[in-house]
């Protein structure tokens, strides 16, 4: 029988002999959960009550047959870095948000790899993620905080990443935001090699969210094969929305359950990229292509309809306040920063950006330009005797752009993030 310890030792041996790029997936969510239960004995009772509510909500959903609403979750990414390379780019953060939106909305092309007997289980979860556009004080933000730290690894048990006074960054109000901490490394009792860990709903709000190693975050920059498709956060977000591992976390027996009705019973986790069918527990093949198994990013492709129902139940139960927090505006533009001379305001309803400036000299014209980050000019306006204008950005793709304000020798640049 395979045990938890042997799994960890195997991961460690692989790390030592084959370097971090070839290590097996190792998620710390269940160990974190066990530590939370030890520190907060009443959590078990709250989780049991939450489970009853989830099952009731799912039952009502089946009976009422109402159409599911699209749920939007505002994300704040706290980047903790010791070295410059760990201070990952905005683009890498946005690539991770795109990956979440791809996987939670069945926009991933690799669902074609799902075996035909399981194709009818593949779900479009219908949850959209956005970078938070307002911080807890109501100021416009790009949803990223950056903190220099002297720590190379952050301890899972004490949640060091989540507090200013332990080298991390305090959570933003977890009733309004999904907090994600990107860290140089994660350790547990001195051991490293954990890709990420999530906190299940129902726990301490000060530590609510996901911690993830910067090697396994996003699809560009420092993201490292075979975990460079952004699916470590897809997996951890599943835990944050109360999904358990697909094999039921019993390690080596068929008695564990993920509390999801349509996932086949599965004996153990799968690694790397196995061939279908991997039969265990007399099933028709493990659902190893599920995001809640331990396979490589390129071999995961789906949540099931049952997992979707469970996640929607949480977003309409314990986490309902997040979807109503107003920090994730639909069809929104978000402001990245404002300088003294020019101000940029999003006008989401009109798909416009409003640009205002303190005009010093009314006699010469002002040029307002919007270009992409490669310098390609997309919008250009020449204005005189005006102190504001609107830029129609409805036809621009989501992403970062540059706004340039020029008058004579004076030039100001501002980056803006456009999200539709
Ligand atoms: Zn996990």
């Amino acid at each position: 029988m395979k045990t938890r310890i042997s799994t960890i030792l195997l991961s460690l041996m692989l790390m030592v002999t084959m370097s971090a790029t070839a290590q097996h997936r190792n998620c710390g969510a269940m160990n974190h959960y066990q530590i939370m239960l030890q520190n907060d004995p009443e959590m078990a009772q709250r989780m049991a009550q939450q489970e009853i509510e989830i099952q009731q909500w799912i039952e009502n959903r089946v009976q009422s047959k109402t159409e599911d609403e699209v749920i939007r979750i505002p994300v704040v990414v706290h980047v903790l870095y010791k070295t410059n390379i760990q201070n990952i780019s905005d683009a890498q953060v946005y690539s991770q948000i795109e990956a979440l939106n791809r996987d939670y909305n069945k926009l991933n092309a690799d669902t074609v790899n799902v075996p035909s007997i399981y194709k009818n289980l593949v779900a479009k979860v219908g949850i959209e993620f956005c970078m938070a556009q307002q911080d807890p004080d109501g100021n416009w933000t790009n949803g990223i905080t950056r903190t220099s730290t002297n720590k190379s690894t952050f301890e899972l048990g004490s949640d060091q990443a989540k507090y200013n006074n332990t080298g991390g960054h305090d959570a933003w109000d977890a009733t309004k935001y999904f907090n994600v901490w990107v860290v140089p490394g994660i350790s547990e009792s001195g051991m490293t090699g954990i890709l990420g860990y999530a906190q299940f709903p129902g726990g301490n709000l000060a530590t609510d969210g996901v911690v993830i190693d910067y090697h396994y975050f996003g699809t560009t920059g420092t993201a490292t094969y075979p975990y460079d498709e952004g699916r470590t956060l897809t997996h951890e977000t599943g835990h944050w929305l109360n999904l358990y591992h697909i094999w039921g976390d019993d390690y080596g027996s068929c008695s564990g359950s993920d509390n999801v009705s349509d996932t086949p019973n599965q004996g153990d986790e799968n690694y790397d990229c196995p061939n279908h069918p991997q039969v265990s527990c007399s099933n028709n093949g493990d659902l190893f292509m599920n995001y809640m198994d331990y396979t490589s990013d390129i071999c995961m492709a789906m949540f099931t309809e049952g997992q979707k129902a469970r996640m929607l139940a949480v977003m309409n139960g314990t986490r309902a306040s997040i979807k109503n927090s107003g920090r994730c505006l639909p069809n929104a533009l978000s402001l990245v920063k404002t300088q003294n001379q020019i101000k940029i305001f999003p006008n989401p309803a009109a798909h416009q950006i409003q640009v205002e400036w303190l005009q010093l000299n009314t006699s010469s014209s002002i040029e307002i330009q919007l270009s992409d980050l490669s310098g390609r000019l997309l919008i250009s306006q020449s204005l005189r005797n005006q102190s504001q204008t609107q830029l129609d950005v409805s036809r621009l793709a989501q992403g970062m752009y540059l706004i340039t304000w020029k008058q004579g020798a004076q030039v100001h640049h501002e980056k803006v993030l456009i999200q539709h």
Side-chain angles (χ1 to χ4, degrees):
M1 182 189 284
K2 190 184 257 180
T3 66
R4 182 76 179 144
I5 297 300
S6 69
T7 305
I8 292 168
L9 285 177
L10 184 60
S11 298
L12 277 176
M13 282 162 55
L14 281 166
M15 270 169 38
V16 170
T17 56
M18 299 169 73
S19 88
T21 56
Q23 76 175 92
H24 281 163
R25 184 179 296 282
N26 188 5
C27 156
M30 291 311 290
N31 287 7
H32 182 262
Y33 180 42
Q34 292 304 324
I35 292 166
M36 289 203 79
L37 287 176
Q38 287 165 16
N39 297 337
D40 179 7
E42 288 175 9
M43 187 171 176
Q45 206 177 342
R46 289 200 304 274
M47 293 294 282
Q49 179 59 34
Q50 185 172 253
E51 191 62 42
I52 291 168
E53 289 167 9
I54 287 171
Q55 297 305 332
Q56 280 174 346
W57 189 90
I58 291 172
E59 182 69 32
N60 289 342
R61 175 174 174 262
V62 170
Q63 290 183 358
S64 66
K65 293 181 182 154
T66 51
E67 201 166 316
D68 298 316
E69 59 178 341
V70 174
I71 291 171
R72 294 189 173 85
I73 297 180
V75 185
V76 54
V77 175
H78 305 290
V79 178
L80 310 179
Y81 63 95
K82 187 178 183 186
T83 66
N84 284 341
I85 197 166
Q86 293 163 353
N87 191 12
I88 59 170
S89 66
D90 288 357
Q92 187 170 347
V93 175
Y94 303 141
S95 77
Q96 178 62 72
I97 300 303
E98 274 179 36
L100 285 179
N101 285 325
R102 175 199 67 201
D103 292 345
Y104 278 81
N105 292 283
K106 205 175 133 183
L107 296 170
N108 51 311
D110 50 6
T111 54
V112 298
N113 300 329
V114 175
S116 55
I117 57 163
Y118 293 137
K119 275 204 163 37
N120 64 332
L121 297 180
V122 180
K124 175 183 173 180
V125 178
I127 294 179
E128 295 177 1
F129 299 83
C130 79
M131 299 304 299
Q133 291 149 1
Q134 282 182 292
D135 71 13
D137 297 325
N139 299 315
W140 293 105
T141 175
N142 68 349
I144 302 172
T145 73
R146 296 182 180 278
T147 304
S148 174
T149 182
N150 59 7
K151 280 196 160 60
S152 302
T153 63
F154 284 83
E155 184 64 23
L156 172 148
S158 54
D159 272 325
Q160 290 169 328
K162 302 171 182 174
Y163 297 101
N164 291 348
N165 61 8
T166 51
H169 192 291
D170 288 349
W172 285 9
D173 182 351
T175 65
K176 296 192 173 90
Y177 302 94
F178 175 27
N179 284 269
V180 177
W181 290 266
V182 183
V183 300
I186 300 168
S187 59
E188 185 184 3
S189 305
M191 293 195 303
T192 56
I194 296 166
L195 277 58
Y197 68 93
Q199 180 170 306
F200 287 87
N204 180 0
L205 288 175
T207 55
D208 192 47
V210 169
V211 179
I212 185 166
D213 183 315
Y214 78 108
H215 292 101
Y216 314 117
F217 182 83
T219 62
T220 184
T222 61
T224 307
Y225 179 85
Y227 308 114
D228 57 352
E229 297 286 326
R231 283 170 167 163
T232 300
L233 191 58
T234 299
H235 174 110
E236 297 303 336
T237 303
H239 287 310
W240 183 77
L241 293 168
N242 219 0
L243 295 189
Y244 294 99
H245 289 133
I246 190 106
W247 67 95
D249 292 293
D250 54 337
Y251 291 99
S253 86
C254 295
S255 59
S257 174
D258 60 358
N259 293 352
V260 175
S261 56
D262 63 359
T263 50
N265 196 11
Q266 180 173 322
D268 222 334
E269 73 274 36
N270 290 282
Y271 293 118
D272 308 323
C273 286
N275 291 318
H276 173 76
Q278 297 288 316
V279 177
S280 68
C281 305
S282 306
N283 63 22
N284 293 318
D286 289 355
L287 202 68
F288 63 75
M289 67 300 305
N290 190 272
Y291 296 126
M292 300 314 290
D293 206 326
Y294 265 10
T295 41
S296 297
D297 276 15
I298 50 167
C299 302
M300 298 178 151
M302 65 176 286
F303 287 115
T304 70
E305 289 290 341
Q307 288 173 321
K308 166 183 174 173
R310 196 173 166 79
M311 291 191 275
L312 295 187
V314 169
M315 288 310 300
N316 286 282
T318 310
R319 298 205 181 283
S321 63
I322 292 179
K323 66 173 182 167
N324 299 323
S325 71
R327 297 300 198 268
C328 200
L329 308 174
N331 305 317
L333 316 165
S334 78
L335 174 69
V336 172
K337 76 175 189 181
T338 304
Q339 287 187 345
N340 293 331
Q341 290 85 355
I342 64 171
K343 290 182 178 176
I344 299 171
F345 301 95
N347 183 354
H351 290 274
Q352 287 179 339
I353 295 174
Q354 175 147 327
V355 184
E356 296 182 6
W357 57 93
L358 189 65
Q359 196 173 18
L360 301 174
N361 177 358
T362 54
S363 61
S364 66
S365 69
I366 288 165
E367 305 290 328
I368 303 286
Q369 297 176 341
L370 185 141
S371 54
D372 64 21
L373 294 188
S374 69
R376 191 162 57 106
L377 188 62
L378 300 165
I379 297 174
S380 183
Q381 295 182 358
S382 184
L383 307 159
R384 198 182 287 266
N385 297 326
Q386 268 180 258
S387 61
Q388 65 173 60
T389 188
Q390 284 81 35
L391 308 179
D392 176 0
V393 297
S394 59
R395 284 190 292 275
L396 298 181
Q398 182 165 298
M400 294 296 298
Y401 293 85
L402 193 69
I403 291 181
T404 304
W405 179 101
K406 285 189 211 170
Q407 185 178 38
Q410 282 196 71
V411 181
H412 300 290
H413 297 290
E414 294 286 353
K415 270 187 190 172
V416 290
L417 172 65
I418 294 176
Q419 294 180 314
H420 294 296

